[in-house]
Amino acid sequence: MKTAVVTSFTVPLEIVERSIPEPGEGEVLVRLETSGLCHTDIHAAHGDWPVKPTLPFVPGHEGIGIVERLGAGVTDRAIGERVAIPWLGYACGECRYCIDGRETLCERQRNSGYSVDGAFAEYAVASARYVVPVPEGISPLDAAPLTCAGVTTYKALKVAHIVPSEKVAVFGIGGLGHLAVQYARLFGGEVIAVDVENPKLDLATRLGADHVVNAAEGDPVAAIKAVGGADVAVVLAASPRVFEQAFASLNRGGRLICVALPADQDMHISIFETVLKGISVIGSIVGTRQDLAEVFALHAAGRTTIIAEGRTLDQVNGAMAEVLSGQVLARLVFEF
Ligand SMILES: [Zn+2]
Ligand SMILES: [Zn+2]
């Protein structure tokens, strides 16, 4: 099977032929149909973060495919079923986080395309309990971006506890941002989209943003204040400076939702402002299997629109360069 492998943090990915893996106990073998390219895959391939993946590894955590074989003991998945392989590849199911509905905080979790081989391959093995069924009527091209970009932004807006009519600023329109705009609308927010590229702001408007701010053409904080300030600011742009701008744009009682993971880890915010304005700073990491099921249900009901372009796995290095250039409107998805 064709596989894209990271062999070093400083050289391009290699396309190699590998034998199709055997599903172990509790695992399924999935024949991939599509696999989305997330910015996290690029951070992983470059070894950008404090905890680095063990080389060599296969990235990819927006894998969509058909279950072809069942490992020993698997009874809850069926051959022929379409499933998603998300970032949360495995969790223990027993710790305090797993049993109270916060499985994405499990300390024994394994992450697809990071700590275990992911979906940049024609086949992947995955934990049967942690793949998520894709409902009828959702195409593999749409399902892939929903599996990380969708669930991550849906969860970020869920934890913001938006009251309808609150103003929600989304910093960074792209794979995640184009979905964040739509979920913010579904939660009842008045949406302010912030980016530095006008084509992305036009996309945000088409997807329902009420206001757009080009942060390259002026002070985004002043522009957001001019339309009433933000009650919730979701940061999807991997730059500490954007987090600081998002914080500064908040109204009293505001919530800063941190999602992007910049290689540079330090942001500076005022303790005084945080206390006096009653601001909450919240980290949100992907979403649970249930969150992903909700994301799929919303899409199947016609509530969300996916903007994605297909690529082949052979184009993996070029596709990563396209994402880094900022020229990709929303999501690139490898099609097999
Ligand atoms: Zn991702
Ligand atoms: Zn656990």
Side-chain angles (χ1 to χ4, degrees):
M1 65 170 187
K2 189 178 283 188
T3 310
V5 182
V6 178
T7 56
S8 154
F9 297 125
T10 54
V11 303
L13 278 73
E14 276 178 44
I15 303 292
V16 298
E17 269 303 314
R18 280 188 176 176
S19 53
I20 296 171
E22 291 284 321
E25 187 173 353
E27 291 179 335
V28 289
L29 175 69
V30 178
R31 175 176 53 78
L32 275 305
E33 299 174 294
T34 58
S35 191
L37 171 58
C38 180
H39 210 130
T40 291
D41 297 311
I42 301 175
H43 288 301
H46 293 170
D48 277 340
W49 291 336
V51 181
K52 296 183 197 311
T54 304
L55 296 165
F57 72 97
V58 179
H61 57 273
E62 284 187 349
I64 304 297
I66 303 295
V67 174
E68 258 196 16
R69 288 182 59 198
L70 305 177
V74 175
T75 54
D76 49 357
R77 298 272 68 88
I79 289 170
E81 192 176 12
R82 177 171 289 136
V83 294
I85 302 176
W87 174 253
L88 186 69
Y90 169 86
C92 79
E94 295 168 348
C95 71
R96 56 182 288 211
Y97 304 110
C98 280
I99 64 177
D100 80 354
R102 294 182 293 167
E103 62 195 21
T104 59
L105 303 183
C106 177
E107 293 187 63
R108 285 155 64 191
Q109 71 183 273
R110 294 200 284 263
N111 299 116
S112 308
Y114 209 89
S115 59
V116 294
D117 279 346
F120 285 6
E122 289 175 313
Y123 289 84
V125 289
S127 168
R129 275 169 44 218
Y130 287 86
V131 296
V132 175
V134 179
E136 286 293 321
I138 300 183
S139 72
L141 186 65
D142 279 4
L146 292 169
T147 299
C148 178
V151 76
T152 298
T153 51
Y154 176 72
K155 182 67 164 196
L157 290 153
K158 207 174 180 181
V159 299
H161 296 295
I162 296 162
V163 174
S165 87
E166 278 193 317
K167 292 191 175 61
V168 181
V170 176
F171 286 77
I173 305 303
L176 275 74
H178 89 287
L179 281 154
V181 165
Q182 299 176 68
Y183 295 128
R185 290 267 305 189
L186 288 169
F187 281 110
E190 182 179 331
V191 181
I192 306 160
V194 186
D195 203 282
V196 294
E197 305 278 351
N198 283 324
K200 294 189 178 186
L201 294 172
D202 293 342
L203 172 65
T205 300
R206 289 207 301 282
L207 295 172
D210 299 280
H211 313 276
V212 294
V213 171
N214 188 324
E217 292 174 357
D219 175 14
V221 177
I224 293 168
K225 293 282 187 195
V227 295
D231 302 300
V232 170
V234 182
V235 186
L236 309 172
S239 154
R241 194 170 132 66
V242 178
F243 283 77
E244 291 160 8
Q245 290 170 339
F247 181 88
S249 72
L250 287 171
N251 293 327
R252 291 177 173 235
R255 287 85 82 200
L256 176 69
I257 313 294
C258 305
V259 177
L261 293 167
D264 175 0
Q265 296 293 303
D266 298 313
M267 69 168 166
H268 296 279
I269 58 173
S270 158
I271 295 168
F272 191 85
E273 294 262 307
T274 306
V275 173
L276 264 72
K277 291 185 172 176
I279 286 172
S280 305
V281 177
I282 300 169
S284 183
I285 175 77
V286 294
T288 64
R289 290 167 289 176
Q290 177 59 27
D291 294 319
L292 182 52
E294 290 167 19
V295 159
F296 283 150
L298 283 170
H299 194 70
R303 303 290 195 90
T304 47
T305 299
I306 297 292
I307 306 296
E309 291 174 58
R311 295 287 184 273
T312 65
L313 193 61
D314 295 306
Q315 297 172 309
V316 62
N317 292 302
M320 287 185 172
E322 283 183 83
V323 170
L324 289 177
S325 76
Q327 297 308 305
V328 176
L329 198 53
R331 211 47 152 190
L332 296 183
V333 174
F334 301 114
E335 295 180 293
F336 297 94

